[in-house]
Amino acid sequence: MPDAFTQAIRIHRFGGPEVLQWEEIPLPPPAPGEVTIRQTAVGLNFIDTYHRSGLYPLTLPAVIGTEAAGVVEALGAGASGVAVGDRVAYTGLPPGAYAAHRNWPADRLVKLPDGITADIAASVMLKGLTAWYLLRRSYRVQAGETLLLYAAAGGTGTLLSQWAAALGARVIGVVGTAAKAALAREHGCAATVLAGDPDFVKTVREISGGGVAVVYDSVGRDTFFQSLDCLRRHGTLVSFGNASGPVEPFSPMELAKRGSLHLTRPSIFDFIATRADLEAGTGELFDMIGRGAVRIAIGQRYPLRDVARAHQDLEARRTTGATILEP
Ligand SMILES: NC(=O)c1ccc[n+]([C@@H]2O[C@H](COP(=O)([O-])OP(=O)(O)OC[C@H]3O[C@@H](n4cnc5c(N)ncnc54)[C@H](OP(=O)(O)O)[C@@H]3O)[C@@H](O)[C@H]2O)c1
């Protein structure tokens, strides 16, 4: 019998938000190399809905969640680099962040500098490192380039657009509503396009003067070909999400006939797989935040036990900026 327990959101089957259950689960002592974290802020991410629905399958039952911040409470044998009482944060797999306490490898933790609160860390470990690798690794955005970004008023979008603007790029943000357009403009977008614009491609090609250098498309199935149509010759589509469902199979000839395009379908976890990459990414990210070049827009908060409501709002496009779940 484990001698300790914690509260967590666990799923026993894949499905809608109704499968998210608030439960007491065992909390074993930290294994060698691990620490126990008392989590004070958990991040909400679209990937959590893919884990919940089974689009990205997990072994069940499973606690989901991929991003959190808190305080180190206990060290397992050989865990180094952090001490009890340190403020820390992480993102990564396997999921399990929707919990009051969690055991996690010490060498996958980041210590939080002064000025990076738990709420900020739980907003940027996954979403901000995504903005970092999308702009700095997947496709290296250059000053003067124009890019198209979907969900520009969202958690990842508000970070990426500010960072891109700070690099000297011109961001055209795609948004669902006029209210979101205002928020996107406050966070680095030079122009916005409504997702439902019947002349979407024409509008983007006009604003960009003949097509954008790169499209960051997190919507997936519904926007894939429209995104290719917005690119200039030799442009790059970075397809990095499935908010509308996964992209269907297609012929590579579609890239040739639109101007010898490039396509990549990246995942954050390949860009922070090594300790060196994790430190490079968080170093640049915390520096951007510290200099005020990237501000964190926390749009809403929910008690962790009410995360089903948060999933409903996220999937119904009702959230803006980042969402904090309070354990
Ligand atoms: N590959 C990676 O490494 C990686 C890492 C992080 C995030 N992502 C992806 O980035 C995207 C954004 O994630 P996030 O957590 O920051 O969420 P978010 O952007 O805060 O929320 C999702 C937004 O997507 C837009 N959207 C467009 N079509 C949608 C649809 N059919 N259903 C729901 N939303 C739709 C909505 O904005 P509008 O109403 O304004 O259109 C919605 O608010 C997700 O697709 C996620 O999977 C990928």
Side-chain angles (χ1 to χ4, degrees):
M1 275 287 286
D3 50 11
F5 292 85
T6 192
Q7 304 287 322
I9 293 285
R10 193 154 64 163
I11 61 170
H12 294 262
R13 61 190 169 87
F14 298 117
E18 71 283 353
V19 303
L20 299 163
Q21 288 186 22
W22 181 244
E23 294 179 356
E24 195 169 72
I25 63 163
L27 178 69
E34 288 187 346
V35 306
T36 300
I37 307 164
R38 177 173 55 81
Q39 305 200 130
T40 52
V42 176
L44 176 73
N45 288 284
F46 222 92
I47 192 175
D48 305 343
T49 71
Y50 310 148
H51 288 140
R52 188 207 71 216
S53 70
L55 177 65
Y56 295 174
L58 302 174
T59 304
L60 299 179
V63 178
I64 65 167
T66 43
E67 177 182 47
V71 178
V72 175
E73 251 190 10
L75 302 178
S80 61
V82 289
V84 170
D86 279 351
R87 297 188 318 112
V88 293
Y90 65 87
T91 183
L93 299 175
Y98 284 8
H101 295 82
R102 184 175 192 193
N103 294 336
W104 185 254
D107 63 3
R108 301 299 300 161
L109 277 176
V110 175
K111 278 209 259 185
L112 298 183
D114 290 345
I116 303 291
T117 63
D119 281 357
I120 292 175
S123 303
V124 302
M125 285 302 294
L126 195 152
K127 293 175 277 286
L129 285 173
T130 295
W132 164 73
Y133 90 75
L134 288 173
L135 293 167
R136 311 284 290 149
R137 296 286 187 275
S138 273
Y139 176 90
R140 258 188 121 76
V141 166
Q142 306 295 324
E145 283 184 328
T146 302
L147 64 89
L148 183 70
L149 166 69
Y150 287 85
T156 306
T158 46
L159 300 170
L160 190 146
S161 49
Q162 293 178 82
W163 199 322
L167 292 172
R170 183 161 171 258
V171 183
I172 306 173
V174 185
V175 289
T177 64
K180 287 184 178 183
L183 191 71
R185 284 173 184 271
E186 286 165 25
H187 291 86
C189 288
T192 54
V193 188
L194 283 176
D197 184 335
D199 290 319
F200 187 94
V201 172
K202 187 163 165 274
T203 306
V204 172
R205 294 193 78 88
E206 271 171 18
I207 298 174
S208 59
V212 299
V214 54
V215 177
Y216 291 105
D217 183 341
S218 59
V219 178
R221 181 162 54 206
D222 291 355
T223 51
F224 184 75
F225 288 105
Q226 163 183 298
S227 294
L228 293 180
D229 288 338
C230 290
L231 288 167
R232 71 179 186 200
R233 183 177 292 133
H234 302 305
T236 299
L237 173 56
V238 183
S239 173
F240 74 104
N242 323 292
S244 67
V247 174
E248 306 284 349
F250 73 100
S251 165
M253 193 54 75
E254 299 296 332
L255 305 177
K257 72 186 189 196
R258 287 174 172 81
S260 303
L261 304 177
H262 300 264
L263 169 68
T264 180
R265 198 332 179 169
S267 160
I268 179 177
F269 303 115
D270 289 317
F271 293 84
I272 54 169
T274 68
R275 180 81 206 167
D277 286 338
L278 179 64
E279 287 182 1
T282 49
E284 281 193 55
L285 174 63
F286 293 160
D287 179 59
M288 292 298 281
I289 296 170
R291 288 194 285 117
V294 170
R295 288 171 291 115
I296 316 306
I298 296 175
Q300 50 282 307
R301 324 173 67 92
Y302 304 79
L304 177 58
R305 64 185 306 152
D306 292 342
V307 70
R309 200 155 48 82
H311 276 223
Q312 282 163 356
D313 289 345
L314 184 66
E315 292 178 290
R317 304 166 74 159
R318 286 192 290 263
T319 63
T320 56
T323 301
I324 294 294
L325 306 170
E326 297 164 338

